[in-house]
Amino acid sequence: MGTYIHGLLAGDDFRRHFLSGLGATTGTIAFEQTVEATLDKLASHLARHLDIDRLLGLAGRVKL
């Protein structure tokens, strides 16, 4: 149970069934909607506090 498999618990129905099988009480979390809302808030915060265009311009000049 300690193994991390990316996206395993992302499906709401699977997560609910899996966790209830372990005896956990599950709430109703809409994973995809929660992730999208969180990423939107993060993007807004970064856009408000950083000069994104300047950072992208600087990143474009980096030679790897």
Side-chain angles (χ1 to χ4, degrees):
M1 291 300 173
T3 302
Y4 176 77
I5 300 174
H6 183 75
L8 177 67
L9 299 177
D12 296 329
D13 291 334
F14 174 79
R15 182 183 60 254
R16 213 172 355 269
H17 179 73
F18 179 77
L19 292 175
S20 66
L22 297 175
T25 2
T26 59
T28 54
I29 297 174
F31 181 80
E32 292 295 326
Q33 292 171 345
T34 302
V35 168
E36 288 302 316
T38 302
L39 291 175
D40 287 344
K41 287 179 187 176
L42 177 60
S44 293
H45 180 80
L46 292 175
R48 219 174 13 260
H49 297 285
L50 297 174
D51 185 346
I52 301 294
D53 291 332
R54 178 148 170 81
L55 285 173
L56 290 173
L58 290 170
R61 293 185 207 146
V62 174
K63 304 242 184 209
L64 299 176

